[in-house]
């Protein structure tokens, strides 16, 4: 039997799909089309396709075959072909005609059968701190964890990982990005995801808030609506959280789906007016905070966008009040906004969806 088909037909692949769906349905781990999972054996790998949702892993065929060995040879040789992970897709009967994940290179270079990558909000709240490496060293002692400073997702990140991991590394905390756990089995890697998430989760989390009712009514007909998440709404009613929100982005998917950072309206602006001002400065912004009133998003916001709106609040309420943050620079944000690979992923989620 074809080795790719043998791997796809295995019990472990079925377990990967189940674990993928479990993680994908947990908004504290994965938001919309974010995150990715893979299973490999003897240089053959199945990995989540770009733009697909892990939450649907048991209902849709979202995994594509990749020749991981051939990719690693190209990467180690410094070949330009490594820049295009799509060129390492394998031809396998019945495989979906989809593009491999942006993080294909990261999964390929990690020498374990199972790799799980999530955008765990508790992890991001730590990974965006200036002292993140020290926190990882202390809180995750004994878990063979390594902190990786921020690199652009994809090949740059894979190269940065190769420079820092050892044969013992089992957990990666990606600066301003998320969590990677590896394992010989799906069960082992999944257990590591939850163990790290638990260890990094703060003891106390700020409560949510409701938008001002008059303000919410004033949005009618403006093209904007109140964000439907109490935790995100709390950003408009807490001076500390507002200060955390008002700056450059903290992680890539925020940039890709919401635009760089957010817009904080002044006292004389409506949400729509603030959005126009903020979008003129750089690129389209899809999150407006009106202090003391509420947080607004476009009425046309699709399911993927809304999951990132929720994540913004979920991350910020987990940031230690005494922490200093390492934000993405303008250049790093622009690199994500103008990246063809991310434009492709965003386009796959551009229409309104019934997915929650």
């Amino acid at each position: 039997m074809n080795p790719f088909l043998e791997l796809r037909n295995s019990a472990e692949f079925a377990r990967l799909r189940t674990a993928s769906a479990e993680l994908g349905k947990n908004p504290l781990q994965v938001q919309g089309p974010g995150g990715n999972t893979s299973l490999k054996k003897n240089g053959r790998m199945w990995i989540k396709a770009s733009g697909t949702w892990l939450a649907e892993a048991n209902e849709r065929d979202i995994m594509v075959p990749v020749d991981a060995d051939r990719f690693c040879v190209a990467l180690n040789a410094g070949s330009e072909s490594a820049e295009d992970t799509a060129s390492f897709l394998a031809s396998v009967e019945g495989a979906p005609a989809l593009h491999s994940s942006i993080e294909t290179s990261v999964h390929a270079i990690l020498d374990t059968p199972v790799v799980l990558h999530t955008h765990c909000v508790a992890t991001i709240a730590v990974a965006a701190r200036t002292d993140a490496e020290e926190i990882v060293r202390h809180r995750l002692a004994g878990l063979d964890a390594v902190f990786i400073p921020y690199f652009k997702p994809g090949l740059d990140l894979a190269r940065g990982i190769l420079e820092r991991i050892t044969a013992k590394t089992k957990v990666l905390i990606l600066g301003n990005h998320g969590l990677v756990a590896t394992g010989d089995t799906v069960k082992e890697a999944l257990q590591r995801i939850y163990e790290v998430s638990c260890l990094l989760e703060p003891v106390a989390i700020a409560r949510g808030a409701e938008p001002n009712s008059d303000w919410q009514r004033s949005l009618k007909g403006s093209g904007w609506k109140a964000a439907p998440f109490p935790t995100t709404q709390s950003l408009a009613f807490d001076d500390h959280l507002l200060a955390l929100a008002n700056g450059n982005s903290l992680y890539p998917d925020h940039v890709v789906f919401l635009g760089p950072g957010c817009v904080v309206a002044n006292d004389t602006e409506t949400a729509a007016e603030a959005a126009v001002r903020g979008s003129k400065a750089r690129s389209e912004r899809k999150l407006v905070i009106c202090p003391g009133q509420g947080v607004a998003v476009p009425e046309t916001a699709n399911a993927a966008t809304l999951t990132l709106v929720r994540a913004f609040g979920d991350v910020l309420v987990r940031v230690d009040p005494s922490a200093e943050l390492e934000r993405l620079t303008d250049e790093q944000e622009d690199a994500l906004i103008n990246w063809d690979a991310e434009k492709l992923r965003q386009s796959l989620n551009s229409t309104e969806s019934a997915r929650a």
Side-chain angles (χ1 to χ4, degrees):
M1 179 184 290
N2 180 302
F4 280 104
L5 289 175
E6 183 178 1
L7 185 58
R8 187 174 64 180
N9 292 335
S10 69
E12 192 68 354
F13 184 80
R15 285 188 279 269
L16 179 72
R17 292 181 63 179
T18 298
S20 298
E22 179 181 317
L23 291 170
K25 291 174 182 177
N26 182 350
L28 300 184
Q29 288 290 342
V30 171
Q31 301 81 38
N36 31 77
T37 61
S38 68
L39 176 67
K40 60 180 172 288
K41 182 179 180 181
N42 298 329
R44 281 87 171 183
M45 178 171 74
W46 287 88
I47 185 169
K48 192 203 85 162
S50 181
T52 60
W53 292 47
L54 284 175
E56 299 176 340
N58 277 329
E59 287 76 46
R60 293 182 59 205
D61 197 359
I62 66 169
M63 299 287 179
V64 294
V66 172
D67 190 331
D69 268 0
R70 189 161 60 88
F71 169 80
C72 289
V73 168
L75 178 64
N76 292 331
S79 171
E80 292 184 2
S81 65
E83 299 284 347
D84 179 20
T85 56
S87 65
F88 298 93
L89 282 168
S91 178
V92 177
E93 182 182 357
L98 299 170
H99 197 291
S100 55
S101 169
I102 289 170
E103 303 293 11
T104 294
S105 53
V106 172
H107 289 252
I109 57 115
L110 293 173
D111 191 24
T112 53
V114 181
V115 178
L116 308 178
H117 168 45
T118 71
H119 297 159
C120 166
V121 295
T123 299
I124 294 174
V126 169
R129 293 176 54 160
T130 57
D131 58 351
E133 186 167 9
E134 181 181 354
I135 293 175
V136 168
R137 185 164 51 248
H138 289 292
R139 290 199 204 171
L140 305 184
L143 294 185
D144 297 314
V146 171
F147 176 75
I148 310 294
Y150 178 79
F151 289 91
K152 182 182 174 183
L155 195 56
D156 288 353
L157 177 56
R159 287 171 173 151
I161 288 172
L162 282 174
E163 292 175 357
R164 290 163 176 80
I165 61 173
T166 71
K168 293 182 178 180
T169 302
K170 295 181 174 62
V171 171
L172 307 175
I173 304 300
L174 307 181
N176 297 90
H177 190 152
L179 168 61
V180 174
T182 68
D184 291 330
T185 65
V186 171
K187 181 179 179 180
E188 187 178 82
L190 187 62
Q191 182 177 347
R192 289 194 175 108
I193 287 281
Y194 289 133
E195 186 172 6
V196 171
S197 301
C198 182
L199 289 170
L200 297 183
E201 181 76 4
V203 175
I205 300 174
R207 295 181 179 179
E210 294 297 326
N212 178 284
S213 56
D214 290 338
W215 173 82
Q216 193 167 358
R217 283 192 290 271
S218 76
L219 295 176
K220 188 174 182 180
S222 70
W224 290 77
K225 63 181 180 181
F229 308 108
T231 304
T232 304
Q233 285 296 337
S234 67
L235 307 182
F237 301 94
D238 183 296
D239 289 342
H240 172 68
L241 292 176
L242 181 61
L244 291 178
N246 190 14
N248 280 29
S249 308
L250 295 174
Y251 46 95
D253 268 14
H254 180 102
V255 182
V256 173
F257 289 95
L258 301 180
C262 65
V263 180
V264 177
N266 61 44
D267 292 340
T268 63
E269 287 181 316
T270 65
E273 290 168 343
V276 170
R277 170 177 58 81
S279 297
K280 280 182 180 178
R282 291 182 66 191
S283 61
E284 184 182 7
R285 314 287 183 96
K286 297 180 181 179
L287 195 68
V288 175
I289 302 177
C290 297
Q293 303 295 326
V295 178
V297 297
E299 284 185 344
T300 56
N302 62 25
T305 296
L306 290 175
T307 64
L308 270 300
V309 171
R310 172 175 175 169
F312 192 50
D314 285 340
V315 168
L316 292 186
V317 298
R318 287 170 169 78
V319 173
D320 189 294
S322 64
E324 292 186 16
L325 298 180
E326 186 79 40
R327 299 178 184 273
L328 301 185
T329 65
D330 287 354
E331 293 75 18
Q332 289 168 335
E333 289 182 329
D334 289 341
L336 293 165
I337 293 168
N338 299 314
W339 190 17
D340 288 342
E342 283 292 16
K343 288 180 180 179
L344 169 65
R345 184 163 69 110
Q346 190 176 46
S347 70
L348 295 171
N349 289 273
S350 61
T351 56
E352 193 61 47
S353 168
R355 292 175 293 200

